[in-house]
Amino acid sequence: MDAFWQWIAGAMLTVVLGIALGKQSKDISLILSIVVCIMVLVAAAAYLQPVMDFVKRLQSIGLLDEQYGQILLKSVGIGLVTEFAVLICNDAGNTALGKSLQIAATVLVLWISLPLMESLLTLIEKIMGGV
């Protein structure tokens, strides 16, 4: 939990520096923001290993196909990376590009989820008596 507060403090310091630098050089301010964002994301990635272990444990207990856990993790990863990219686009003043990335990521998550949806459809067909 201490790391979280360090991330918050670093982000707030970056915002203050960004405001101060933004008056003189918007480019340097944006680069500073991107660098600190990447540092926070790399630090946060260390906390993903227990989550990955939990998903693997859940798969083994539930006798679930490994493919479904991968779909979940890929979808979450796409969402997180997209959110990061969208925020950078917004900071750079290119909101339209950010919205386009959100739409593309949504389509990609739907595409990745097709095997899961097909399995669900097969299960529904079995429950309904092979309609």
Side-chain angles (χ1 to χ4, degrees):
M1 193 69 176
D2 290 337
F4 172 74
W5 294 113
Q6 291 173 351
W7 301 341
I8 297 295
M12 293 301 104
L13 180 61
T14 302
V15 168
V16 170
L17 287 173
I19 291 170
L21 290 173
K23 294 177 182 178
Q24 297 171 356
S25 176
K26 221 168 172 48
D27 294 339
I28 293 174
S29 175
L30 180 62
I31 291 170
L32 174 67
S33 179
I34 291 170
V35 167
V36 172
C37 285
I38 290 171
M39 289 171 55
V40 169
L41 289 175
V42 168
Y47 290 88
L48 285 177
Q49 188 58 46
V51 175
M52 305 268 291
D53 293 341
F54 176 77
V55 169
K56 288 178 184 176
R57 187 170 154 225
L58 188 62
Q59 285 175 337
S60 67
I61 291 172
L63 301 174
L64 297 174
D65 189 351
E66 185 178 318
Q67 178 182 15
Y68 301 140
Q70 289 177 354
I71 290 170
L72 172 68
L73 292 174
K74 285 179 183 178
S75 297
V76 170
I78 290 168
L80 291 173
V81 170
T82 301
E83 184 66 21
F84 175 69
V86 167
L87 291 173
I88 289 176
C89 289
N90 290 344
D91 282 352
N94 201 335
T95 307
L97 181 58
K99 293 291 182 186
S100 296
L101 285 174
Q102 285 178 322
I103 292 168
T106 301
V107 170
L108 183 59
V109 167
L110 286 172
W111 179 74
I112 286 174
S113 301
L114 276 176
L116 182 61
M117 290 186 272
E118 288 173 355
S119 294
L120 183 61
L121 182 60
T122 302
L123 179 64
I124 290 171
E125 288 174 339
K126 285 181 184 178
I127 290 173
M128 294 180 66
V131 174

